[in-house]
Amino acid sequence: MSQLWGRIEEIRALGAEVYAISCDSHFAQAAWARELGVGFPFLSDWNRDVIAAYDVKLDELAGYREVPARALVVVDRDGTIVHRDRAPLRELPDVEAAVAALRSLAARS
């Protein structure tokens, strides 16, 4: 995700905001964000509602059930998903494709 961190200002200039969402507790997320020094909010999907709604849930991974896939999701102002990239295991989502989707949204405004 470091590719994403380097694009935060560009993403914000396109009128978007970045959020990291995981199924970890907010305590774990706060520690993780501090350690990484990221400049965007971490949100907890403890009940796994978001990963189901955004279709980024893996039924099983290494013995764990209902875990999030690595994904980038672009949601427009109306709450419609306009881009979703669910990366295969051990790969990262395509940041450039997500930024291109944001550019397309910005051009429509």
Side-chain angles (χ1 to χ4, degrees), residues 24-63:
D24 297 308
S25 73
H26 65 280
F27 301 111
Q29 289 179 328
W32 184 245
R34 259 192 322 274
E35 183 174 320
L36 294 174
V38 297
F40 51 85
F42 276 55
L43 306 174
S44 178
D45 185 25
W46 188 257
N47 294 324
R48 292 160 170 75
D49 296 328
V50 175
I51 63 172
Y54 287 7
D55 191 26
V56 295
K57 180 177 72 171
L58 299 173
D59 292 327
E60 189 272 333
L61 176 66

Side-chain angles (χ1 to χ4, degrees), residues 28-106:
Q29 289 179 328
W32 184 245
R34 259 192 322 274
E35 183 174 320
L36 294 174
V38 297
F40 51 85
F42 276 55
L43 306 174
S44 178
D45 185 25
W46 188 257
N47 294 324
R48 292 160 170 75
D49 296 328
V50 175
I51 63 172
Y54 287 7
D55 191 26
V56 295
K57 180 177 72 171
L58 299 173
D59 292 327
E60 189 272 333
L61 176 66
Y64 295 97
R65 293 188 353 229
E66 297 185 358
V67 296
R70 286 184 174 173
L72 281 174
V73 180
V74 176
V75 180
D76 71 10
R77 294 182 194 278
D78 297 323
T80 303
I81 296 172
V82 296
H83 174 81
R84 174 183 26 240
D85 181 15
R86 245 180 92 149
L89 292 178
R90 297 181 183 83
E91 293 185 26
L92 296 174
D94 185 351
V95 173
E96 188 54 46
V99 171
L102 289 171
R103 284 189 194 117
S104 177
L105 281 175

Side-chain angles (χ1 to χ4, degrees), residues 4 7-18 95 99 102:
L4 179 65
R7 310 285 294 271
I8 296 296
E9 293 309 315
E10 177 184 5
I11 290 167
R12 288 181 175 148
L14 290 167
E17 186 55 71
V18 174
V95 173
V99 171
L102 289 171

